[in-house]
Amino acid sequence: MASSSSVVPKLNIPLHVKYIQNLDKKQDLAYHLTSHLRLNGIYWGLTALCIMGQHSALDREGVIEYTISCWDEEAGTFGPHPGHDGHILATLSAIQIMVIEDALDRVDIERVTKFLHSLINPDGAVSGDQWGESDTRFSYILLQSLALLGKLDTLSPETRENITQNIKGCMNFDGGFGTTPGAESHSGQVWVCTAALSILDREDLIDKDLLGAWLSERQLPNGGLNGRPEKLEDVCYSWWCAASLSIIGRLHWIDRDKLIAFILGAQDLEDGGIADRPGDWVDVFHTVFGVAGLSLLGYPGLQDIDPVYCMPAGLIASLGLRKPYITLPRLSSYPPPS
């Protein structure tokens, strides 16, 4: 359980590395009930390790073999766990894992590309699987997946414009974005939409000052960020909000020191991991987005993270995929000298 102490600790990297390494060793009921998130979990853990400079802490071949075992031959893509149906969520995690591990040559890129194209609806919305549920998350996932596969140019100009206009249609009066046209603004959807428009080179559609103001208002007196008005703070929004602010060049509009202190206060200093807020149980989801948020905020000793892809910044740059964004200067120490 995360600490609720008023004393702000430093980021305990060795403890968090050990926590991630042990995730599959405690196979309790909760472990088996979350098999639908297994491949996502590997991406979250692997990315957190990369940010902490510990990429090799997991067995590379074991990670690759498990990812390959999640292949759904009928769908021509990846499911979240062996025997599960293929889905766009698991597909992106598989691609991200294989790119990080430099094993994309072991993926049937043409079949995955075909699967992704099959999810694009005539109005530009994107479905998650054959059953048709659409969501702006899936639009972003489609674009990132194709970009990582080197297949973004397989989208026709008409299809690209349809996707762009569908995302634009999800923009609200407050500058934020929702899951579908008319849905309320939410920080998670703001990130997927701003990142998607960045990949499409259409950031011109974003009202950056209006959106920056809305995102800045998500910071509460305790330093944490929430997903929408009148909701509790949550460590994961340290990523959704901060990454969005980074993409639109407004990251300096929030209080960095207070947010860093909030994230660090949500650590479990006995068993490792980061929770949604101080005093709660930890999980790998909040662990990765906690350390990713710290990286964007310039916490010392961490590797740079790309706010558009949520992957190691150096790797994204080496693939020629880097888009414009700003991060805060990395601190030389924490807490900084008074």
Side-chain angles (χ1 to χ4, degrees), residues 198-201 203 306 308-309 316 321-325:
S198 179
I199 293 172
L200 290 165
D201 297 318
E203 284 187 53
D306 188 292
V308 176
Y309 291 86
I316 293 300
L321 297 176
R322 191 188 191 281
K323 298 295 182 180
Y325 61 83

Side-chain angles (χ1 to χ4, degrees), residues 172-185:
N172 292 314
F173 71 93
D174 53 18
F177 295 84
T179 56
T180 55
E184 69 172 317
S185 296

Side-chain angles (χ1 to χ4, degrees), residues 241-263:
C241 294
S244 300
L245 287 165
S246 175
I247 293 169
I248 64 174
R250 306 294 189 276
L251 185 54
H252 57 291
W253 284 16
I254 57 175
D255 188 320
R256 168 168 71 174
D257 292 341
K258 291 185 72 173
L259 181 54
I260 287 177
F262 172 74
I263 298 170

Side-chain angles (χ1 to χ4, degrees), residues 34-189:
T34 55
S35 61
H36 63 290
L37 297 172
R38 192 74 70 241
L39 205 52
N40 304 129
I42 293 176
Y43 155 71
W44 295 330
L46 183 60
T47 301
L49 290 171
C50 288
I51 297 169
M52 295 186 289
Q54 300 291 324
H55 178 192
S56 62
L58 294 181
D59 176 59
R60 176 180 180 271
E61 193 58 32
V63 167
I64 293 171
E65 288 297 331
Y66 178 80
T67 302
I68 292 172
S69 75
C70 294
W71 179 258
D72 177 357
E73 179 60 28
E74 182 177 351
T77 193
F78 294 91
H81 188 62
H84 287 223
D85 293 339
H87 194 281
I88 198 170
L89 288 167
T91 297
L92 175 58
S93 289
I95 293 169
Q96 290 170 314
I97 292 166
M98 298 301 264
V99 169
I100 291 173
E101 298 292 19
D102 192 23
L104 200 56
D105 59 324
R106 296 167 71 171
V107 175
D108 190 334
I109 293 175
E110 296 305 320
R111 288 200 67 190
V112 174
T113 301
K114 182 179 178 180
F115 167 78
L116 292 168
H117 274 264
S118 74
L119 302 176
I120 305 171
N121 299 314
D123 65 351
V126 177
S127 300
D129 56 21
Q130 61 178 318
W131 308 113
E133 176 194 7
S134 62
D135 183 326
T136 45
R137 289 177 303 157
F138 305 150
S139 303
Y140 165 73
I141 289 170
L142 172 98
L143 295 168
Q144 185 184 156
S145 296
L146 289 173
L148 292 175
L149 293 174
K151 294 292 185 178
L152 195 58
D153 60 358
T154 61
L155 293 175
S156 69
E158 179 183 4
T159 299
R160 190 180 178 112
E161 182 62 19
N162 286 344
I163 294 172
T164 302
Q165 291 304 315
N166 181 266
I167 295 171
K168 180 183 178 183
C170 297
M171 186 187 302
N172 292 314
F173 71 93
D174 53 18
F177 295 84
T179 56
T180 55
E184 69 172 317
S185 296
H186 185 280
S187 300
Q189 304 305 138

Side-chain angles (χ1 to χ4, degrees), residues 174-177 190 194 206-216 248:
D174 53 18
F177 295 84
V190 166
T194 56
I206 303 170
D207 187 330
K208 296 180 180 180
D209 284 342
L210 184 60
L211 177 57
W214 187 86
L215 288 166
S216 300
I248 64 174

